[in-house]
Amino acid sequence: QVQLQQSGPGLVKPSQTLSLTCAISGDSVSSNSAAWNWIRQSPSRGLEWLGRTYYRSKWYNDYAVSVKSRITVSPDTSRNQFSLQLNSLTPEDTAVYYCARGAGRLDYWGQGTLVTVSS
Amino acid sequence: DIQMTQSPSSLSASVGDRVTITCRASQGINNYLNWYQQKPGKAPKLLIYGAFNLQSGVPSRFSGSRSGTDFTLTISSLQPEDLATYYCQQSDSIPWTFGQGTKVKIK
């Protein structure tokens, strides 16, 4: 059974960087068939896919245009986890952030982290 | 980006009713359409993938269909535990995009 466990702060100041981690059990971040995603949800923007990392003989990333200049999604193979970094935060980045497994359909999700951007 | 338009935004139905939710894609996405159920305070849960395929463990009262760029989620006999918001998501091309959601209430 695949499980994704998220960790990271719930409160971040404007202009700072958000760092979240998603620890994987029951699968490998280096899987040749999976992809590892970050999605956020807010009342104003709904569910918004942010980016992903995946391994197909080498590492690849894809990012949403809306955050492309500010986001990094990266694997940590030694700890079997992946992370999200989102910099230059504004209050509009306030949302519940989820990690999820899927190369198309998103079949396993983390528990979600409410991130509030406020001074 | 592919836009996903869901309707209705909310509905109220009685236990045992047949419920349908529609999602329209702004362009062709083949069968790359997935449906999720989200209960308050929880992460979305995959119900249907590839437009028609029931995810393991999901009750058979849930089903999916397609007509062109219109996709439908049907609950054949609504149960009290189906109180939730339902979302469609296209996985034809990056960026993955979601519908705005349909909130299902029990009368």
Side-chain angles (χ1 to χ4, degrees):
Chain A
Q1 176 76 342
V2 176
Q3 290 188 316
L4 304 178
Q5 181 67 39
Q6 297 178 220
S7 58
L11 180 63
V12 186
K13 290 182 167 48
S15 80
Q16 290 191 342
T17 297
L18 170 66
S19 294
L20 295 175
T21 298
C22 185
I24 304 163
S25 57
D27 200 348
S28 170
V29 71
S30 303
S31 164
N32 270 293
S33 58
W36 306 96
N37 302 266
W38 288 97
I39 296 120
R40 67 183 178 184
Q41 184 174 31
S42 65
S44 58
R45 302 169 77 107
L47 284 163
E48 180 184 15
W49 177 85
L50 298 176
R52 67 177 181 174
T53 189
Y54 59 100
Y55 186 77
R56 302 290 186 268
S57 303
K58 68 175 187 176
W59 289 100
Y60 294 88
N61 291 100
D62 293 303
Y63 299 124
V65 169
S66 60
V67 295
K68 192 165 188 175
S69 62
R70 302 192 289 132
I71 189 174
T72 302
V73 178
S74 55
D76 181 344
T77 56
S78 64
R79 297 181 181 182
N80 200 32
Q81 63 187 30
F82 64 108
S83 63
L84 166 71
Q85 287 202 309
L86 188 64
N87 56 38
S88 303
L89 291 175
T90 73
E92 287 66 45
D93 294 309
T94 293
V96 177
Y97 286 74
Y98 294 101
C99 60
R101 185 186 83 162
R105 64 182 187 257
L106 301 166
D107 57 359
Y108 291 96
W109 294 63
Q111 78 275 23
T113 302
L114 173 59
V115 175
T116 302
V117 181
S118 175
S119 53
Chain B
D1 298 2
I2 298 174
Q3 306 304 315
M4 306 302 297
T5 304
Q6 230 178 294
S7 61
S9 56
S10 67
L11 65 89
S12 184
S14 299
V15 172
D17 282 355
R18 184 181 184 88
V19 169
T20 59
I21 298 166
T22 297
C23 187
R24 174 169 291 173
S26 61
Q27 63 190 71
I29 58 171
N30 297 298
N31 290 330
Y32 294 108
L33 189 285
N34 310 302
W35 289 99
Y36 300 86
Q37 176 193 66
Q38 186 177 32
K39 296 186 176 180
K42 299 293 188 181
K45 171 189 171 184
L46 179 65
L47 296 177
I48 302 280
Y49 64 93
F52 310 103
N53 303 292
L54 198 65
Q55 176 71 353
S56 176
V58 173
S60 59
R61 63 180 179 274
F62 292 93
S63 64
S65 61
R66 171 195 171 190
S67 176
T69 57
D70 290 344
F71 297 83
T72 300
L73 173 70
T74 299
I75 308 173
S76 61
S77 178
L78 189 67
Q79 299 302 303
E81 60 266 32
D82 300 336
L83 167 72
T85 302
Y86 294 82
Y87 295 92
C88 61
Q89 174 235 342
Q90 65 82 18
S91 53
D92 179 76
S93 61
I94 289 288
W96 308 144
T97 48
F98 293 83
Q100 312 94 303
T102 297
K103 189 170 187 176
V104 173
K105 305 170 197 174
I106 310 292
K107 276 184 188 172

